[in-house]
Amino acid sequence: MLRSRLLRSRWFGGVLALAAAFGVSLQAAPPAAAASLTQITSFGNNPTGLQMYLYVPNNVKANPP
């Protein structure tokens, strides 16, 4: 297990070195937009007390696929 972890870290280090040599920059993912959740309270018989929420992203097209 230790050997495989060492090999993976060396492989990843090699990939980073190659990327730097070719001028490739690794960029972090953009922060997620914080859309709100809306609780749905009337979705039928609920003997176990489940909670249901509706999530709609901030940027939704008019007729999404």
Side-chain angles (χ1 to χ4, degrees):
M1 176 142 182
L2 181 62
R3 182 178 176 186
S4 65
R5 190 177 297 170
L6 180 62
L7 289 174
R8 275 186 285 180
S9 66
R10 285 186 180 175
W11 179 85
F12 188 67
V15 169
L16 289 178
L18 282 173
F22 286 102
V24 177
S25 64
L26 301 176
Q27 301 201 3
S36 62
L37 294 173
T38 304
Q39 185 173 14
I40 308 298
T41 56
S42 58
F43 60 94
N45 189 11
N46 192 7
T48 58
L50 293 175
Q51 295 180 351
M52 179 171 137
Y53 292 88
L54 175 66
Y55 170 78
V56 179
N58 292 333
N59 300 324
V60 177
K61 294 181 180 178
N63 294 315

